[in-house]
Amino acid sequence: MVNSFSADVKEELSKEWSSARHCQIAELAALLGFCGTISYGSDGHIGLKIVTENLPVARKVFTLIKKTFNIVSEISIKKNHRRRSLSYLVVVYRQEEILRILRATKLIRGLAHHVYEDGLVNPLVVRQRCCRRAFLRGSFLAAGSMSDPDKAYHFEIVCASLPIANQIKEMMCSFGMDAKMINRKKSFVVYLKESAQIVDSLNIMEAHVALMNLENIRILKDMRNTVNRKVNCETANIHKTVSAAVRQVEDIMYLRETVGLETLPETLEEIAQVRLSYPDATLKELGDYLTPQVGKSGVNHRLRKLSEIAEQTRQKFDSTSP
């Protein structure tokens, strides 16, 4: 099942348009670099086709070619019965139109039509910051994905080679992001794990609706984490208080059965009787039951003294027992 958040991001990006032609070319260069195939026939003719299983990508490629070059490409749909999926094929047939696109995106160079092979994109295409934004948008559309932020924070772009991955990583880092890279099977993955940097990446690609949705999820998760921490802390404190009260009652009952509470100093006998009467009471509540009332520190001091006497009594009885 397709991650709905990632799909929503791509749908939004497919509708985002750069007004500048050089940015449109940069975005198209990314889409062609990831999804395009340049072929050479025996007659010397060049073929250009773009294959994707993502409808927003096919739509974006078709529209970019139309808006940027005033070229109408052909689009068709192929059904993959084994994978139960659809593939979208965008094809440009006319040689002069193919050459216009490939030369503008600098995917070929010179009259001999040498293909650019030093990475994904010629640096001349992404010299300007705005063009790098557009290029990253096209790269994510073609080969990127995001985890559902309700479950985890993960942003990645899957690259076919190390030079391509290095270009993507350097481009992301040029915007201040700490992008990482790993080798996954036959691919190289450039990724982000920090939620704040994923928010930055959405801003760079101009996915503003997705950015606001992610921020809302981050806020809710932070609130839940804060509440959970407080609840866990309070639960731990309650457990600690209950455990202490149980030990105090055990020590007092031991003293009552061995030496008798009446043998204790008056202040200790009083707190012992109150603790036995109110085993679930807090230190403050115990202090309020005393006459005169005693503060929490005073109550705690007396109970600790009772525990010391109980321990001393245990040791005494243990040493005299046969």
Side-chain angles (χ1 to χ4, degrees):
M1 182 177 179
V2 177
N3 176 358
S4 61
F5 190 87
S6 191
D8 288 346
V9 173
K10 291 193 175 188
E11 182 64 30
E12 181 182 357
L13 292 177
S14 72
K15 299 173 182 176
E16 179 63 37
W17 296 98
S18 300
S19 58
R21 187 173 186 273
H22 49 80
C23 292
Q24 295 171 3
I25 289 173
E27 186 168 3
L28 183 59
L31 292 164
L32 294 179
F34 277 107
C35 302
T37 301
I38 303 171
S39 59
Y40 292 88
S42 56
D43 56 359
H45 281 204
I46 301 176
L48 176 62
K49 64 180 179 180
I50 299 91
V51 181
T52 176
E53 293 184 358
N54 195 312
L55 178 57
V57 172
R59 187 170 61 236
K60 191 67 175 283
V61 171
F62 180 89
T63 311
L64 273 171
I65 291 174
K66 178 68 171 66
K67 283 192 172 187
T68 311
F69 300 97
N70 197 27
I71 294 172
V72 179
S73 54
E74 292 190 15
I75 186 166
S76 58
I77 303 173
K78 181 180 178 181
K79 192 169 185 178
N80 189 322
H81 294 283
R82 177 183 290 182
R83 297 178 59 181
R84 295 182 180 180
S85 62
L86 298 176
S87 294
Y88 302 91
L89 178 65
V90 182
V91 182
V92 180
Y93 288 103
R94 294 168 63 92
Q95 289 296 290
E96 64 272 20
E97 293 178 344
I98 293 173
L99 289 174
R100 280 174 57 202
I101 294 169
L102 295 181
R103 284 170 179 161
T105 54
K106 293 187 169 41
L107 290 173
I108 61 173
R109 54 189 175 188
L111 297 176
H113 304 157
H114 294 300
V115 178
Y116 182 79
E117 295 178 341
D118 299 331
L120 183 64
V121 63
N122 190 309
L124 294 174
V125 176
V126 288
R127 283 180 300 177
Q128 300 185 63
R129 187 177 178 86
C130 58
C131 293
R132 292 197 296 275
R133 283 176 176 268
F135 187 86
L136 287 174
R137 179 165 60 243
S139 298
F140 181 81
L141 263 172
S145 65
M146 284 184 63
S147 298
D148 183 346
D150 270 324
K151 300 175 182 176
Y153 295 120
H154 184 81
F155 170 105
E156 70 176 34
I157 296 176
V158 180
C159 306
S161 70
L162 183 58
I164 293 173
N166 281 328
Q167 274 197 326
I168 295 293
K169 180 183 175 185
E170 289 172 9
M171 207 172 298
M172 292 175 68
C173 290
S174 74
F175 287 96
M177 291 183 285
D178 186 21
K180 308 291 186 184
M181 183 171 60
I182 57 169
N183 181 215
R184 183 189 295 163
K185 296 182 179 178
K186 295 181 180 180
S187 302
F188 295 86
V189 181
V190 181
Y191 68 94
L192 299 170
K193 282 286 189 183
E194 295 292 332
S195 60
Q197 294 201 10
I198 294 174
V199 168
D200 289 342
S201 71
L202 291 174
N203 184 50
I204 289 163
M205 297 186 301
E206 299 180 276
H208 301 302
V209 174
L211 186 154
M212 292 305 298
N213 290 337
L214 177 55
E215 284 286 41
N216 288 336
I217 292 171
R218 286 180 69 198
I219 291 169
L220 288 174
K221 287 179 75 173
D222 287 344
M223 288 176 62
R224 283 199 296 264
N225 290 337
T226 300
V227 170
N228 288 338
R229 281 195 298 270
K230 287 183 177 179
V231 169
N232 291 338
C233 183
E234 290 175 2
T235 301
N237 288 337
I238 291 171
H239 180 74
K240 183 179 178 181
T241 300
V242 170
S243 298
V246 169
R247 288 195 304 271
Q248 291 160 7
V249 170
E250 290 175 350
D251 288 340
I252 292 168
M253 292 180 67
Y254 176 77
L255 289 174
R256 185 177 64 183
E257 294 168 2
T258 52
V259 299
L261 298 182
E262 67 279 0
T263 64
L264 300 172
E266 183 179 347
T267 55
L268 297 185
E269 181 185 2
E270 183 184 19
I271 192 64
Q273 296 290 2
V274 169
R275 172 49 91 193
L276 290 177
S277 300
Y278 305 98
D280 298 329
T282 64
L283 295 180
K284 184 180 183 307
E285 291 170 342
L286 290 176
D288 292 341
Y289 292 134
L290 298 175
T291 306
Q293 293 182 348
V294 177
K296 286 172 59 177
S297 61
V299 171
N300 188 51
H301 174 75
R302 295 183 187 186
L303 290 171
R304 287 177 60 186
K305 189 65 178 175
L306 283 173
S307 294
E308 291 174 5
I309 294 172
E311 184 60 28
Q312 291 170 2
T313 304
R314 288 190 184 94
Q315 292 178 1
K316 178 180 177 181
F317 276 85
D318 290 343
S319 63
T320 57
S321 60

